[in-house]
Amino acid sequence: MIITLFGPPGAGKGTQGARLSGALGIPHLSTGDMLRHVISSGSSLGKQVAALIDEGNFVPDDMIRDVLSTRLDAQDCMRGAILDGFPRTVPQIAMLDEILSTRGSTLDAAILLSVPDEILLDRIAIRAASGETARPDDRPEIAAARLETYRVKTAPLLDIYRREGRLHEVDGTGSPDEVFRRILFLHKLAPAGV
Ligand code: AMP
């Protein structure tokens, strides 16, 4: 099963991706986390990636395709994965379809977590203030740039998925428990006992 989670920065993709992963027993693959891992390697590629991410820009489509397709070939993805952060641009729609079709798979669900901008910026500010989860791109001026990049590059992709009837919108406000229940209800994914 392949599920992809959409939402602007701060919408809760990471939190909900981890929960869905636990409920369904398939890995949560965050392209942002993968890129942060490349950065932490300190390689020259990592430095290029950091320069883009730290300004609120996206990395090139080809790079992210290679990172994701390699990861999907790992043994733990045999039963599927929860994608978080991919696709994120219009060309990445076709990339995902191709990556999946060459592996005999298709996209089962595309879920959009909808959250108003004021709440997003508050959530990012809270994360920026927390030592444990703070990220360089959570600074207020960069958070605003990330929202703008999302509007310019990702919103058109969502329009396409919506027109194709592939997008399921979920209210992403409220507690993580509330949002998770909405996702499970929407997709009737609930395993016994959840
Ligand atoms: P995230 O953790 O999902 O907010 O991602 C952090 C940053 O990684 C984003 O602001 C982008 O710069 C980059 N990134 C993550 N996924 C993608 C993608 N699919 N395409 C391009 N850039 C990405």
Side-chain angles (χ1 to χ4, degrees):
M1 165 172 287
I2 301 285
I3 296 177
T4 185
L5 287 177
F6 292 109
K13 301 186 297 296
T15 304
Q16 298 303 327
R19 285 177 177 227
L20 264 179
S21 164
L24 299 176
I26 52 180
H28 165 222
L29 307 185
S30 153
T31 46
D33 284 349
M34 291 178 198
L35 293 169
R36 283 184 283 278
H37 185 72
V38 173
I39 292 173
S40 68
S41 73
S43 64
S44 68
L45 177 65
K47 292 193 173 76
Q48 288 170 40
V49 170
L52 290 166
I53 291 189
D54 290 353
E55 293 301 318
N57 296 314
F58 284 177
V59 304
D61 289 335
D62 288 342
M63 181 192 293
I64 200 80
R65 179 194 42 211
D66 293 348
V67 170
L68 180 69
S69 52
T70 304
R71 179 66 185 86
L72 277 173
D73 285 336
Q75 186 67 25
D76 64 338
C77 297
M78 290 291 282
R79 290 181 47 245
I82 313 293
L83 306 183
D84 157 0
F86 189 94
R88 210 149 167 153
T89 63
V90 170
Q92 290 181 13
I93 294 181
M95 285 182 179
L96 179 61
D97 289 341
E98 194 204 315
I99 288 172
L100 295 180
S101 76
T102 56
R103 288 163 178 76
S105 177
T106 53
L107 183 60
D108 295 288
I111 302 172
L112 169 64
L113 301 176
S114 301
V115 179
D117 281 5
E118 321 79 76
I119 297 181
L120 295 172
L121 290 170
D122 279 354
R123 285 186 184 174
I124 295 173
I126 291 169
R127 188 168 65 192
S130 93
E132 208 177 298
T133 50
R135 296 167 18 182
D137 59 351
D138 282 341
R139 281 169 292 148
E141 68 281 16
I142 302 300
R146 285 163 60 209
L147 268 181
E148 185 57 20
T149 305
Y150 177 83
R151 265 186 216 106
V152 172
K153 297 201 167 165
T154 306
L157 166 162
L158 297 174
D159 289 341
I160 294 173
Y161 270 62
R162 203 176 275 116
R163 273 203 302 277
E164 293 175 352
R166 296 166 90 182
L167 193 67
H168 303 279
E169 289 194 47
V170 170
D171 175 2
T173 62
S175 70
D177 282 348
E178 285 168 321
V179 178
F180 189 52
R181 271 197 292 274
R182 287 179 203 132
I183 293 175
L184 292 177
F185 178 75
L186 174 72
H187 287 283
K188 302 188 175 49
L189 297 171
V194 175

